[in-house]
Amino acid sequence: MADNISQDLKSGALFYHRNPRPGKLEIQPTKPLGNQRDLALAYSPGVAAACLEIVADPAEAATVTARQNLVAVVSNGTAVLGLGNIGPLASKPVMEGKAVLFKKFAGIDVFDIEIAETDVDRLVDVVAALEPTFGGINLEDIKGPECFEVEERLKARMNIPVFHDDQHGTAIIVGAAVTNALELAGKKIGDVKIVASGAGAAALACLNLLVSLGAKRENIWVTDIEGVVYEGREVLMDRWKAVYAQKTDARTLDDVIGGADVFLGLSAGGVLKPEMVAKMADKPLILALANPVPEIMPEEAVAVRPDAMICTGRSDYPNQVNNVLCFPYIFRGALDVHASTINEAMKAAAVEAIAALARETPSEVVARAYGGEARTFGADSLIPSPFDPRLILRIAPAVAKAAMDTGVARKPIEDLEAYRESLGRFVFRSGFIMKPVVAQAKTAPKRVIYAEGEDERVLRAAQAVIEDGIAQPILIGRPAVVETRLKRFGLSIRPGKDFELINPEDDPRYRDYVATYLDVAGRKGITPDAAKTLVRTNTTVIAAIAVVRGDADAMLCGLEGRFQSRLKHIRDIIGLAPGVGEFSAMSLVISSKGHYFLADTHVRPDPSAEEIAEMTMLCAEHVARFGIEPHIALLSHSDFGSADTRSAIKMREALALLRDRAPHLEVDGEMQADTAISQEIRDRKLPSSRLKGEANVLIMPNLDAANIAFQFTKVLADALPVGPILLGPAKPAHVLTPTVTARGIVNMTAVAVVEAQAAQREQATG
């Protein structure tokens, strides 16, 4: 892994881990501690009541402590993915990362525990002694074959779920891929020949699960660094691997690959050769899961076998086998029924839930997240995207039900449908809200021009954009300044090679740009002399002209200067989209409580009811590009007619216009902010409200309210801002703010690219 990290990514990763405070986690109280009474309840003497409740009934620990939603991610650092035996201390950043995924995807709290112990007996004793603290144990990055022994013994000793994700997470996703691939190929799992390259923990767990799903041991052939696992072999053998030993004279992967229906690779890059793939059975499934270089690159496999179905561990190819597809949701289901273990039935239920989700008709929301393309079930869609919001809604209930059916659930769920509905609060509250947008941007990167190309933040963002394949950057800046700053900041990208650079002082298109400027803005007070000066000196003007002329697909500006002056240039040069009366701006804030789109945060000081309706429809259209169903609240100090001030009446009138013009929108108002966020409060005030659940699009009555709310949320909720997103220009253009970070520029680049893609599709369809 370390050998494949670029110097720029390494530098960025270290900065990310060190700033603004070390690490990726913190502990926060969930109850108020604002006065002496709160302290007396939280600690002495009140806490004694909770302690005695547990003494009387140990099961009450789940109701008076955080234990039932607390998982330990445990490692001794002996087999860290891609890094090997780096030890427990060096593995801590990985375990913190795992903890973040648990929290973001499934709302599960985690303590990461790194143990300086390699002796199996002592390691098992240490982990088993942690049982009073945790509701579950996730073993991570423990080398094989010791990991088998550790998990086996802990499951026998502990009365809470113990799950080695390296083994079973991969196995469950592989099981889903195999299930669907065989369905497409018209084959039965009991009949297929399976050949594995690699015999570590993950590979053997995959094979064991496939056997539990119906595969025959006699049809499974295993190879490792010593060749075929055969009866009588003594080198690099253990009791878990020996289960798959075959009575054979074959000694190499090439010897056994012929006629294989499934290749399972969890070994090393390049071990599966094209000539081997050619010998496989019809419609073979190739699981080339070595990272970052698969056992065979997909294009090499398809070149010799166009009928092959291929999965990798990489995000830049279809069918990514990523453990985040399942482990948060398996634990979610297990914890919610207070399961004593995670058994084979629960794993099988997860397999079927994942496989079934891939076969579902893509929801409109998910399809929109990927540019409107329906990712239908097929060879390139055997398993869902790791960021499909429906994963938690399918896997957790399936696991919980399997736990109940097999008798390991100590607190069965009475109403599974109500449970599914309760899980909906995690959908799109992952903190990975930008992922679908970035993924869509990568499918067809567009040319994005940055007006402030000399700024350090733009240069760092351009590096990230190029590395991630999000866009083709065009920077406006003086070559000598840009070159000097690239070297100063240690960035490897170079103009002319990695990105286009427009020199405002000497560009061969100068006369053409002046002519274009006069053509589009000549009747807006721009004289020929002024045009000549601005095209030399104003980078926002240059960027906007580049977009109008088709030299760029989208533009970002605003890192310096005033928002309104930048907006005026965009209005004069690019103009408004057909049917739009005025620009508006929507800002996204992503916090631990969820994500919220606020409008209008930067443009319209006091919009009329007509303008409120227009911006609401524009917001809804743009929110859909994030793959999110908009739930819109028109905010006011008034709650459903409780006041008749001018702003309250305006919001009421806007609602009437929206009901007429966009009856499909889930929108209601006027309402107070807490009413918009809380279904419970809304039910008390207006049970018949059309808005259901938590509002995620908040339309404010004026610029003051919107901007104050946006800035306040950023600071007090420590939220990540995205935007402002300019709504209404004829071509993608955004005015950022001087406080934007390089990370914010990358996010807005992805937004701009997806807009440009949508514009291109609309133009192609007329």
Side-chain angles (χ1 to χ4, degrees):
M1 181 187 291
D3 293 340
N4 292 281
I5 297 179
S6 70
Q7 188 59 39
D8 302 295
L9 184 58
K10 178 181 177 182
S11 174
L14 290 176
F15 184 87
Y16 174 86
H17 280 81
R18 287 172 175 155
N19 295 283
R21 55 188 293 183
K24 300 187 284 281
L25 298 170
E26 67 177 356
I27 296 173
Q28 291 190 357
T30 59
K31 303 292 169 62
L33 293 167
N35 54 38
Q36 187 60 39
R37 172 71 173 172
D38 291 341
L39 293 174
L41 295 172
Y43 197 51
S44 181
V47 72
C51 295
L52 293 173
E53 197 77 2
I54 297 171
V55 170
D57 182 2
E60 287 301 313
T63 69
V64 297
T65 75
R67 179 178 185 263
Q68 199 55 42
N69 195 53
L70 186 62
V71 167
V73 171
V74 178
S75 181
N76 64 0
T78 53
V80 178
L81 180 64
L83 298 173
N85 187 357
I86 60 174
L89 183 60
S91 76
K92 188 171 179 65
V94 179
M95 303 312 128
E96 283 191 359
K98 192 78 174 216
V100 168
L101 296 179
F102 266 108
K103 184 67 174 179
K104 292 297 184 181
F105 281 105
I108 295 171
D109 296 314
V110 167
F111 288 155
D112 62 288
I113 298 179
E114 295 76 31
I115 301 173
E117 185 57 72
T118 57
D119 180 80
V120 170
D121 291 335
R122 294 177 64 182
L123 182 60
V124 167
D125 286 342
V126 169
V127 178
L130 298 172
E131 184 166 349
T133 303
F134 296 101
I137 303 290
N138 183 93
L139 300 174
E140 194 79 17
D141 293 347
I142 300 171
K143 75 180 181 72
E146 289 91 336
C147 60
F148 297 113
E149 185 77 26
V150 170
E151 185 190 34
E152 190 175 278
R153 289 165 61 176
L154 286 174
K155 291 185 76 166
R157 284 178 61 172
M158 302 182 79
N159 200 32
I160 58 175
V162 177
F163 187 80
H164 187 203
D165 183 49
D166 298 338
Q167 296 180 51
H168 307 302
T170 302
I172 286 166
I173 303 162
V174 164
V178 171
T179 298
N180 281 342
L182 295 184
E183 178 174 315
L184 286 173
K187 301 175 183 179
K188 295 182 179 179
I189 193 168
D191 299 332
V192 299
K193 178 180 179 180
I194 301 170
V195 175
S197 174
L204 293 177
C206 289
L207 296 175
N208 293 340
L209 184 60
L210 292 176
V211 169
S212 74
L213 294 175
K216 302 290 177 54
R217 289 186 188 273
E218 58 267 28
N219 294 338
I220 297 174
W221 299 76
V222 178
T223 65
D224 61 11
I225 196 170
E226 289 293 324
V228 173
V229 174
Y230 60 89
E231 289 184 6
R233 197 181 104 173
E234 297 181 358
V235 181
L236 285 182
M237 291 296 290
D238 54 61
R239 63 185 176 94
W240 295 279
K241 191 186 299 186
V243 169
Y244 295 101
Q246 292 275 18
K247 187 174 183 178
T248 179
D249 293 328
R251 293 294 181 265
T252 68
L253 175 60
D254 189 44
D255 292 338
V256 297
I257 194 68
D261 299 280
V262 177
F263 169 81
L264 172 64
L266 283 153
S267 53
V271 301
L272 183 66
K273 307 301 181 185
E275 55 269 27
M276 297 180 190
V277 174
K279 296 194 291 186
M280 294 181 71
D282 290 341
K283 298 179 182 177
L285 171 63
I286 298 171
L287 295 142
L289 306 183
N291 254 329
V293 181
E295 283 78 5
I296 187 168
M297 295 302 291
E299 53 268 25
E300 293 180 307
V302 171
V304 293
R305 290 301 300 272
D307 61 336
M309 294 170 277
I310 305 168
C311 299
T312 71
R314 293 170 51 139
S315 61
D316 53 346
Y317 289 98
N319 296 322
Q320 182 192 12
V321 174
N322 185 333
N323 286 14
V324 81
L325 264 166
C326 67
F327 74 80
Y329 317 122
I330 290 171
F331 268 97
R332 181 75 277 158
L335 294 174
D336 289 342
V337 294
H338 298 202
S340 59
T341 188
I342 294 175
N343 58 28
E344 293 305 308
M346 294 160 76
K347 295 176 197 173
V351 169
E352 178 50 37
I354 295 169
L357 179 55
R359 297 192 298 266
E360 283 187 33
T361 300
S363 73
E364 181 184 0
V365 172
V366 174
R368 283 200 303 254
Y370 291 91
E373 298 177 9
R375 296 158 61 94
T376 55
F377 177 52
D380 287 337
S381 188
L382 297 172
I383 48 180
S385 160
F387 295 92
D388 191 319
R390 299 169 295 176
L391 285 164
I392 192 171
L393 305 178
R394 304 293 188 273
I395 299 173
V399 170
K401 184 177 186 302
M404 293 188 290
D405 292 344
T406 54
V408 298
R410 287 170 293 196
K411 188 179 179 182
I413 294 170
E414 294 181 3
D415 188 341
L416 276 173
E417 189 55 41
Y419 174 59
R420 288 188 186 93
E421 291 180 9
S422 73
L423 292 172
R425 69 183 183 274
F426 293 114
V427 176
F428 295 117
R429 190 180 275 192
S430 67
F432 291 93
I433 189 173
M434 287 301 301
K435 184 65 180 181
V437 178
V438 172
Q440 174 58 24
K442 288 181 177 182
T443 63
K446 300 298 178 186
R447 299 163 300 166
V448 177
I449 188 166
Y450 302 82
E452 291 87 7
E454 297 175 359
D455 191 286
E456 177 185 357
R457 293 165 293 175
V458 169
L459 295 172
R460 291 191 179 279
Q463 178 82 49
V465 162
I466 291 166
E467 281 201 347
D468 293 343
I470 295 172
Q472 301 164 20
I474 303 170
L475 275 57
I476 301 175
R478 295 162 292 177
V481 174
V482 170
E483 287 280 9
T484 299
R485 293 183 178 178
L486 287 172
K487 291 175 183 177
R488 181 194 306 167
F489 305 137
L491 300 174
S492 64
I493 57 173
R494 290 293 177 265
K497 177 186 175 184
D498 302 299
F499 63 91
E500 181 183 344
L501 182 63
I502 294 179
N503 180 2
E505 297 177 344
D506 182 23
D507 189 273
R509 297 167 292 188
Y510 171 71
R511 292 182 183 279
D512 293 336
Y513 273 39
V514 170
T516 298
Y517 192 16
L518 288 170
D519 185 49
V520 298
R523 293 184 179 274
K524 298 173 183 175
I526 302 299
T527 65
D529 286 341
K532 291 175 183 177
T533 300
L534 288 169
V535 174
R536 284 281 193 216
T537 60
N538 192 304
T539 56
T540 299
V541 169
I542 298 170
I545 294 171
V547 171
V548 167
R549 287 174 55 87
D551 295 339
D553 301 304
M555 67 170 283
L556 298 180
C557 66
L559 279 75
E560 302 168 0
R562 295 181 179 276
F563 188 96
Q564 291 298 332
S565 64
R566 300 293 184 269
L567 188 64
K568 182 181 185 304
H569 291 310
I570 292 173
R571 182 184 287 107
D572 289 346
I573 299 168
I574 293 177
L576 291 159
V580 175
E582 175 58 291
F583 293 127
S584 53
M586 176 178 72
S587 297
L588 166 63
V589 287
I590 305 169
S591 75
S592 59
K593 300 294 185 182
H595 59 269
Y596 306 96
F597 296 88
L598 283 63
D600 173 4
T601 53
H602 287 80
V603 179
R604 306 190 194 197
D606 188 15
S608 66
E610 178 77 26
E611 291 175 318
I612 291 283
E614 178 184 80
M615 86 165 68
T616 301
M617 290 187 286
L618 289 171
C619 285
E621 180 182 346
H622 213 106
V623 168
R625 291 199 176 108
F626 287 83
I628 295 171
E629 197 69 51
H631 304 285
I632 307 168
L634 305 181
L635 296 191
S636 171
H637 71 95
S638 171
D639 245 334
F640 303 116
S642 64
D644 287 322
T645 60
R646 187 175 69 86
S647 66
I649 293 170
K650 175 176 70 174
M651 300 307 272
R652 254 175 259 157
E653 292 174 349
L655 178 65
L657 291 171
L658 286 166
R659 292 274 169 86
D660 180 57
R661 297 175 186 176
H664 62 284
L665 288 182
E666 185 182 315
V667 56
D668 210 341
E670 82 287 8
M671 69 182 76
Q672 295 176 355
D674 59 346
T675 307
I677 300 302
S678 170
Q679 177 77 55
E680 182 181 355
I681 294 174
R682 201 158 54 250
D683 284 345
R684 289 202 302 266
K685 293 181 177 179
L686 189 71
S688 62
S689 173
R690 185 171 179 177
L691 178 63
K692 301 301 178 185
E694 182 179 283
N696 54 20
V697 181
L698 308 176
I699 305 297
M700 306 288 179
N702 56 49
L703 179 60
D704 286 344
N707 193 268
I708 291 169
F710 175 54
Q711 304 296 348
F712 221 56
T713 305
K714 282 197 304 180
V715 176
L716 294 189
D718 195 23
L720 168 67
V722 178
I725 300 168
L726 188 62
L727 307 175
K731 293 178 180 291
H734 298 283
V735 185
L736 307 183
T737 62
T739 59
V740 70
T741 62
R743 180 186 183 193
I745 296 170
V746 172
N747 283 336
M748 283 304 299
T749 299
V751 169
V753 169
V754 171
E755 281 184 303
Q757 291 172 344
Q760 187 179 59
R761 285 194 300 271
E762 290 169 8
Q763 186 176 12
T765 57

